[in-house]
Amino acid sequence: MKLNTRSMQQSGGSKGKGKVMAKIVEEEEEEEAESLSSGCGCFLCVVKEPDARLRRASLGAFFRELPYCEDDAGRGGGGVDGGQSCAEAVGAVWRAAMAAPDDPELPSLGAIRCMSLLLARALADEEWRLRGHNVYVPYYAAHVIGSYTIRSSAHAELAASAGAVQPLLSFLGGAMTWVEQRAAARALGHLASYDATFPAVARYAAEAVPLAVRAAFTCVGDVYENFVALAPGKRPKYQRELLTSGLVGGADDEDRKAEEWASQLQCWSLYFLSCLASRDLSSHATICQDPGFMRELCQMWGGLANGDSPAGVGLLRILCRSAAGRGAIAACGDALSGLCDLARSSDDWQYMAIDCLLLLLDDRDTWHAVADATAAHLVDLAELRHLGPRRRLGYAITAALLRDHDLVHGRELGMEAKEAIANLRDVKVERKEREEAMSRDELLKRRILAKEKKRQGNDMFWHGEVDRAIDLYTEALELCPLSRRRERLVLHSNRAQCRLARREADAAVSDATRALSLARPANAHARSLWRRAQAYDMKGMARESLLDCLAFAGAWLNRKDGAAAAAAVPPRGANPKLPYCVARMISKGLPIIAGETWRRLARRKKTMSQMLSHDHPRSIVS
C-alpha cells in the first residue's frame, strides 16, 4: 500500500492518479480472490458470498472445474476444491435449481454447461460414473437442466448450445436406468417446447421419436421388473434413496413412489412426443407405427399424481391433425373405445376426447370406421351445450354423425350404430321440427302428460315394479318437449336408477350420461353422477367410477340447503358428511387406482401370452 502511495505522489496529475487507483483496485481484487480460494471453496460456501462480484467469479471457476474432478471425492480426495464430492456439489446445484428455476445467475455462470459436460462424461466414462457417489451425478445433472428450462427459453438456449440434447437422448433411450430416463424425458420435453430450441431437438427427430415411443410404452414394465419386482435388499441403493429422499419409508412407500415416477416418466415422454408432433406432422407416421403403443395410448392417463397432464389423449388429439394419425387411430378399436370412455366421464380431459372424435368424424376417410365404433356412445352426448371453453358440442356431435351417406362412400354401418344414428335423427331433426310446428297448448298438454307418466313411474319403482317404471319413464321422455331440459334430465336419471336395479350397467351409464349432458353446467347433477359411478363400478371401470364418485362427493359437501341457500354458504357450525356408501366406494376405488399402473402391466402381459398361445382363438384368427 505504501508503494502505491509513493507512485501516486511521483506521477502527479489526474491521469497518473487514475492509473494508480486502477492498480490499487486490481491488487485488492487479487488479494480477495486469493483469500476466497484459500477457504473451503464448496458450492454452499461460494453461493453464500455476500459480494456479488466475488461470488460470480468463484461460481464461474467452480462450474468450469467441476466436470473434470477425477474421483467422487474431488481433487486430492478432499472434495471439489477440498470441499464437497462431485455428487454432493451437483446435488446442491439441483436444490438451487429446484428452489429458484427462474434465477438466471447460476445458468449464466455455466451451471447448465457444467451439467451437460457431466452427462457426457457419465456416458463416456463408466468407471468414473460407478466410483463412489458419482452414480448420483447423471440423475441430478439431467434434473438441473430440466428445472432451469421449465419456464425459460433463454436457459433452454444455453442447454442446446452446450450440447445437452445428445446425452439426454442417450438417457431417454435407456443408456442407464429408468431413474435417469425420467429426468431426461422431462428435460427434453422442455427443450422441444420452445421455438428457439426446437430445431436443435428436431435435428435428431428420426432418433428421438422412436426412443420416446418406446420409453412411454415400456417404462412401466421396466420400472416394475428392475425395481418393484426385486426384493428391497436387491434394489439399487441410490435409486431407493432418490425415491425416498433420504427418508426411511419401507418397501411399500418405495413401491408407491416408483409407480408415481413411472407414471411421470410416461407422461413426460408423451409430452416430448406431443411437442415434436405439434410442430412436425411428418413425425405422426413414425409415432403411429407401433400398434401396441396405439392400443395403450388412451389408457396412459398419468394417474392421480399427474392430474395436470393430458398424457395419452393429448397426444391423440395432436395426431388427429394429420391424415396418417387419423387413419391409425380409426383403425385401432382400443383407441376409439378409450376415447368413448373418456368422453362419457367427468374427467378434466373429457373435452379432449370429444375433440378427437369430432376430428375423426370430420374426415370422410375415417368417418365410417369411427361412426361404426362410437355412434352408440356419442349419441349420449348430443345434448351437451357447453363444456368449459367449448361451445355447442352437442350440435357438433349431431352434425358429425348425421353426415350425408354419399360423403362416406355409402358403406353400411353395423346394426347398433345404425339404430343409434336413426334415433338421433328422429329426436334432433324430425321431432324438433314436429314440436316447432305445435301450438303452445299442445306442448303444454304433452308436458302435463309427461309429468303424470313420471309420477306413475316413481310409484312403480318404489313398489318394486322396475320394468314397468322403465316403460313409464320412456313414455314420459317421448312426450316431454325437447325444450324442457331439466325435466328430461330427471327422467333420464330416474331411468338410470332403474337400469341399476336390473344390473344393466351399460344402459345405466347411457342414461346417466344423457342426464349429465342436459345439466347446466354439464356434469353438475349429483344424483346422476352417483348413479353412473355405480354403473361404472359394475363394469369394473375403477377410474371412471372413482372420478364420478369424487365429483359427487364434491357436490354433496358443497351443497346448499334450507336457510343456507339464500346466503350461498353452509350454516355456521355445519359439518356435512358423506353418505357411508359414497365414502366406502371412494375408499374402494383409491387403492385400485393407486395400483393401476402395475395392474395394466399385468393385463398387457396376460393378453400377450394369450395371443402367443396356440389354443387361443385370437391366434387362430391371426
Side-chain angles (χ1 to χ4, degrees), residues 132-252:
H133 291 104
N134 287 347
V135 69
Y136 293 88
V137 170
Y139 170 81
Y140 282 129
H143 216 300
V144 167
I145 295 174
S147 296
Y148 275 129
T149 57
I150 190 170
R151 289 190 294 266
S152 173
S153 175
H155 293 170
E157 290 184 66
L158 289 174
S161 62
V165 175
Q166 281 186 299
L168 289 173
L169 284 175
S170 297
F171 286 123
L172 181 65
M176 291 184 189
T177 73
W178 62 274
V179 169
E180 292 82 12
Q181 190 179 37
R182 168 181 171 269
R186 174 175 178 258
L188 285 168
H190 299 330
L191 293 176
S193 66
Y194 299 108
D195 292 336
T197 53
F198 177 78
V201 181
R203 189 178 304 122
Y204 305 98
E207 174 188 0
V209 171
L211 290 179
V213 168
R214 182 180 179 278
F217 188 43
T218 64
C219 65
V220 173
D222 290 343
V223 175
Y224 183 82
E225 292 176 4
N226 298 315
F227 189 86
V228 177
L230 302 178
K234 295 185 178 180
R235 295 174 178 178
K237 180 182 177 182
Y238 86 100
Q239 293 182 359
R240 298 181 69 184
E241 292 182 354
L242 288 173
L243 284 168
T244 58
S245 300
L247 301 176
V248 180
D252 290 341

